[in-house]
Amino acid sequence: MATLPQSIQPLGARLRSGIGVMGQELSRRLGLLRGNPPEHAHHPSLRLFLGEAAFPIKRAFRPWRQPLEVLPAANPQTVILMPGFGTAPVRMQYMAQHLERAGHTVKRWGVGYNFGPTPEKFAQLASRVRDVSERYDQRVVLVGWSLGGVFAREVAKLHPECVAKVISMGSPFSHSPYSNNMWRAYQLVAGHSVENPPVAKDLATKPPVETVALWSPRDGVISPRAARGLPAERDRERALRCTHMDFADSHEAINAILRELA
């Protein structure tokens, strides 16, 4: 039987090794789907969760909505928007446009898609916040949606000298890391348990800057208890009436951000 040329044999071995590693990683991640949340964990109802699927229809009809009136800001701020889990900065473009209409400077977070934290991504984000603060010679306001709000809180703990305020929208920083309807999907995509993130673990500790938590009783993804937090975990909280997927597009949420920036 003819043998493969020596130049091809190492390639075949590398391919088999790579496939084996991929298989092991896939098996490990699928294993993260197993398990049950603790009894004290909260999660939104199935009705609310299924209602989140309507957001593409709402976005399709957005051009026919009544325009949002935006007044010029008396004190323009520099803002960094941080997208939610599984989304990219473009998902927050509608909000960015309205903040810019008011005169604020809006910057992307510079990390691409949000597929969960890694030490490298967190370091890149921290560097981005420092750079933007230095470039505009002012402390920046971090606005984070869902997991993006968790990122914002943790960066503010690391560099409070660069951050004026943190505004989280439906962000699971409090209670149990299982107090949501996405923890299994998160573990599968991010590759680690919600109990053992690769960066900070004490998410409930308040950053040493002004911290505002926006949450909604209509949120079908994150428990209001987890997104609202306790008094010691944030400075203020405010209830909105949007769904979780609507935080980045809701006129009510955009108005709330504009008021906070004022």
Side-chain angles (χ1 to χ4, degrees):
M1 181 181 296
T3 59
L4 291 173
Q6 290 185 354
S7 60
I8 298 179
Q9 288 178 348
L11 175 60
R14 289 197 299 271
L15 286 174
R16 288 193 298 272
S17 176
I19 292 172
V21 171
M22 289 175 60
Q24 292 175 3
E25 177 62 13
L26 178 61
S27 177
R28 186 185 71 82
R29 293 195 179 218
L30 290 175
L32 291 171
L33 293 175
R34 295 191 292 269
N36 295 302
E39 292 184 0
H40 71 279
H42 298 172
H43 59 84
S45 68
L46 179 60
R47 177 182 63 83
L48 290 175
F49 185 56
L50 293 177
E52 297 285 350
F55 87 91
I57 300 174
K58 297 178 184 178
R59 295 194 75 196
F61 282 92
R62 192 170 64 189
W64 290 275
R65 284 197 295 181
Q66 183 176 351
L68 178 62
E69 182 180 358
V70 176
L71 300 176
N75 183 27
Q77 305 287 319
T78 301
V79 183
I80 297 179
L81 298 181
M82 302 188 178
F85 177 63
T87 69
V90 68
R91 183 65 174 83
M92 302 188 76
Q93 184 175 354
Y94 185 71
M95 175 177 284
Q97 291 171 346
H98 285 83
L99 301 188
E100 289 174 340
R101 283 177 55 202
H104 302 292
T105 299
V106 181
K107 310 299 292 184
R108 296 189 174 194
W109 76 332
V111 190
Y113 275 88
N114 186 348
F115 289 129
T118 64
E120 296 77 17
K121 180 173 289 188
F122 189 72
Q124 183 180 352
L125 179 58
S127 177
R128 171 70 167 168
V129 171
R130 291 197 311 270
D131 290 346
V132 171
S133 176
E134 293 173 2
R135 186 187 318 160
Y136 292 92
D137 194 26
Q138 67 177 166
R139 297 163 71 198
V140 300
V141 178
L142 306 182
V143 178
W145 171 34
S146 194
L147 183 61
V150 176
F151 272 97
R153 287 172 58 94
E154 295 308 311
V155 170
K157 295 174 187 178
L158 189 62
H159 293 294
E161 74 283 359
C162 298
V163 179
K165 178 186 290 190
V166 171
I167 306 171
S168 61
M169 303 187 298
S171 300
F173 65 87
S174 184
H175 205 243
S176 167
Y178 296 95
S179 289
N180 59 81
N181 282 325
M182 289 294 292
W183 65 269
R184 284 191 174 89
Y186 172 85
Q187 292 186 162
L188 175 64
V189 174
H192 59 258
S193 166
V194 292
E195 295 180 345
N196 295 294
V199 287
K201 296 183 181 181
D202 189 13
L203 303 182
T205 298
K206 195 188 90 65
V209 301
E210 186 178 3
T211 306
V212 182
L214 304 181
W215 61 280
S216 173
R218 299 181 182 179
D219 193 322
V221 177
I222 306 299
S223 162
R225 171 64 182 81
R228 182 175 63 239
L230 298 175
E233 298 168 349
R234 38 68 181 165
D235 291 298
R236 289 180 288 112
E237 53 86 14
R238 180 177 176 185
L240 306 181
R241 294 169 294 180
C242 60
T243 66
H244 188 79
M245 298 302 295
D246 286 338
F247 269 112
D249 299 300
S250 163
H251 284 183
E252 183 187 22
I254 293 171
N255 274 326
I257 298 297
L258 288 171
R259 281 192 290 271
E260 289 297 335
L261 295 177

